Amino acid sequence: MKVLKALLVGWRRPLRKIDMNVLIAADSFKDALPALEVCQAIGAGIRSVRPELKIRLCPLADGGEGTYAVLAKALGLQPVEVEALDPLFRPITATYGCSAGGETAFVEMAKTAGIQLLAPTERNPLFTTSFGTGLQIADAMRQGAKHLILAVGGSATNDAGIGMAAALGWKFLDKNGAVLSPTGGNLIHISAIVPPSDGILRVNTEIICDVTNPLFGPTGAACVYARQKGADDAIIAQLDSGLQHFAQIAAKSGFTADPEYPGAGAAGGMGFGAKCFLQAELKRGIELVLNLLDFEKHLSWADIIVTGEGKIDSQTAQGKLVQGLCQRAMKQDKPVIAFCGRLEANVAEIREIGLKAAYSINDPAEQTSLAVMLKNTGTNLERVARQVFKAPPE
């Protein structure tokens, strides 16, 4: 914490204000707490030591799990339940949102293909699929949706969207003409792509995501994200080869999507697959969410912003939620601090993100198990919020 305290020099003075407005605008902590509960825990910690401060909660998301909950009110979405499949093809009842007139559907990939749906021992992107997400999209299309917003963060998959496409009627054949199961491990075996026999359904589609990675390579979907989805080095190499192979097959089949464009590697390659099979347009998740929530008004009210997410590292400066928020805050010269479960960013990276300071809510010296840390997320958020906002000496 010594380095982080140094970053606070010249900044703690605003904490002495007794009429300070504090905007708490945090993301969910994966596998621990949804965004609203994260904000509530931080707020409780601040109120316990500074009851005079005015506090406003603004839960956020950038395309990952919890995005539906954050945007449902802003978009006036009504829940629609559909029988789908989870990442391991197991039956699941999932919800997507539909606008009052039925023209806009909002599908959160994490509800059917999310990593939080799997126990740690079940996570292996060789065997997971986005088929359930495709079932939701197909239902929305049958219901007459003309506009689809697909939030793709937080996935357990690395299938380049072929699972989603298979649910829409596409088939992926091996060299012998047999239909392949649409999983990440089978990308390398695809020899032909067959469109739906009853025609291709089209809907105006926007993908919201929080990354700018290409489809494959050292900064691609597998090499950067597959390990957190349960892959080891050998699996990562296999998946990366599969993604590269699939891009070649897609090009030979007439698809014009570029595997190098920013976001192609989002959600295990769903960005690329959505370009191919839905002709989707990719949007930066945090920018869309902040616009829909009219975030500028909240910023204008605030004297300081408290944000947070499960991990802050070098990737946070590559279009993640916290950086997107900091960019907005800097335009109004508003300071931002962040709480996180794991802090892996150095001083230069913290500054690059735009933060005044960042705090891990877990003490690595305690060597507590991950399960215990996740369980204690709310308590630890309150504790660190109390420590940071306790009135400094004059």
Side-chain angles (χ1 to χ4, degrees):
M1 296 286 283
K2 291 181 180 179
V3 168
L4 299 179
K5 286 181 179 178
L7 289 179
L8 290 168
V9 173
W11 170 76
R12 288 186 69 92
R13 183 172 300 276
L15 289 179
R16 298 190 177 107
K17 294 177 60 178
I18 62 173
D19 60 344
M20 184 167 61
N21 295 335
V22 181
L23 176 63
I24 304 174
D27 196 359
S28 63
F29 277 44
K30 189 176 295 184
D31 293 327
L33 287 180
L36 176 58
E37 292 183 31
V38 170
C39 293
Q40 289 171 335
I42 296 171
I46 296 173
R47 289 190 181 96
S48 68
V49 292
R50 301 292 300 278
E52 78 279 7
L53 300 183
K54 299 181 183 67
I55 295 175
R56 180 181 295 182
L57 308 185
C58 183
L60 294 178
D62 57 8
E65 65 277 8
T67 303
Y68 173 82
V70 168
L71 292 182
K73 183 177 180 181
L75 297 178
L77 299 175
Q78 303 299 317
V80 178
E81 288 191 347
V82 60
E83 297 305 310
L85 299 177
D86 78 356
L88 293 176
F89 296 96
R90 298 176 298 203
I92 186 175
T93 300
T95 301
Y96 69 88
C98 188
S99 64
E103 290 197 356
T104 299
F106 183 94
V107 175
E108 182 180 303
M109 186 179 176
K111 288 188 175 295
T112 51
I115 195 168
Q116 81 283 354
L117 298 174
L118 303 180
T121 56
E122 296 177 319
R123 297 172 184 178
N124 186 334
L126 285 176
F127 307 116
T128 52
T129 183
S130 59
F131 194 92
T133 303
L135 291 175
Q136 291 183 291
I137 294 172
D139 188 78
M141 289 179 171
R142 286 193 297 269
Q143 299 300 325
K146 300 292 189 292
H147 178 210
L148 171 68
I149 301 174
L150 177 60
V152 300
S155 79
T157 58
N158 198 102
D159 69 354
I162 65 171
M164 174 271 295
L168 297 175
W170 296 83
K171 294 180 181 179
F172 302 90
L173 310 182
D174 66 12
K175 62 181 180 180
N176 297 317
V179 177
L180 291 164
S181 178
T183 62
N186 278 333
L187 289 171
I188 195 70
H189 302 301
I190 296 174
S191 291
I193 302 173
V194 180
S197 58
D198 55 354
I200 301 171
L201 296 175
R202 296 294 187 200
V203 60
N204 180 29
T205 303
E206 291 179 300
I207 302 292
I208 58 175
C209 63
D210 62 353
V211 302
T212 57
N213 304 75
L215 182 62
F216 54 81
T219 59
C223 292
V224 176
Y225 300 109
R227 192 175 303 279
Q228 68 192 43
K229 301 178 184 185
D232 59 20
D233 289 343
I235 292 173
I236 289 171
Q238 181 178 343
L239 291 169
D240 190 62
S241 295
L243 292 168
Q244 185 170 354
H245 172 75
F246 176 66
Q248 294 170 350
I249 296 298
K252 291 178 181 178
S253 301
F255 294 102
T256 59
D258 180 3
E260 294 293 328
Y261 73 83
M270 175 62 88
F272 181 78
K275 274 280 193 180
C276 289
F277 304 111
L278 298 173
Q279 297 183 346
E281 180 182 359
L282 267 70
K283 298 288 185 68
R284 189 180 178 196
I286 185 57
E287 293 299 325
L288 180 61
V289 170
L290 293 178
N291 289 340
L292 291 171
L293 295 178
D294 201 6
F295 194 69
E296 304 305 319
K297 288 186 177 180
H298 294 298
L299 275 179
S300 296
W301 172 86
D303 294 304
I304 181 173
I305 299 91
V306 182
T307 188
E309 59 185 1
K311 182 169 70 173
I312 293 178
D313 58 13
S314 59
Q315 295 178 23
T316 305
Q318 307 303 315
K320 292 279 190 174
L321 182 148
V322 171
Q323 191 218 23
L325 183 153
C326 287
Q327 288 178 336
R328 296 285 185 104
M330 283 188 285
K331 292 179 181 178
Q332 295 194 29
D333 196 26
K334 302 294 178 71
V336 183
I337 66 172
F339 300 149
C340 61
R342 293 175 60 186
L343 179 58
E344 298 179 0
N346 58 35
V347 175
E349 289 166 342
I350 289 171
R351 288 172 172 156
E352 182 183 0
I353 293 165
L355 292 168
K356 292 296 183 181
Y359 299 90
S360 171
I361 63 171
N362 299 301
D363 185 354
E366 294 181 359
Q367 297 184 344
T368 306
S369 70
L370 176 61
V372 172
M373 287 190 289
L374 293 174
K375 181 180 179 181
N376 294 335
T377 296
T379 300
N380 288 338
L381 281 166
E382 286 192 37
R383 172 181 55 80
V384 174
R386 285 196 299 271
Q387 293 172 350
V388 172
F389 277 83
K390 186 176 180 179
E394 295 292 341

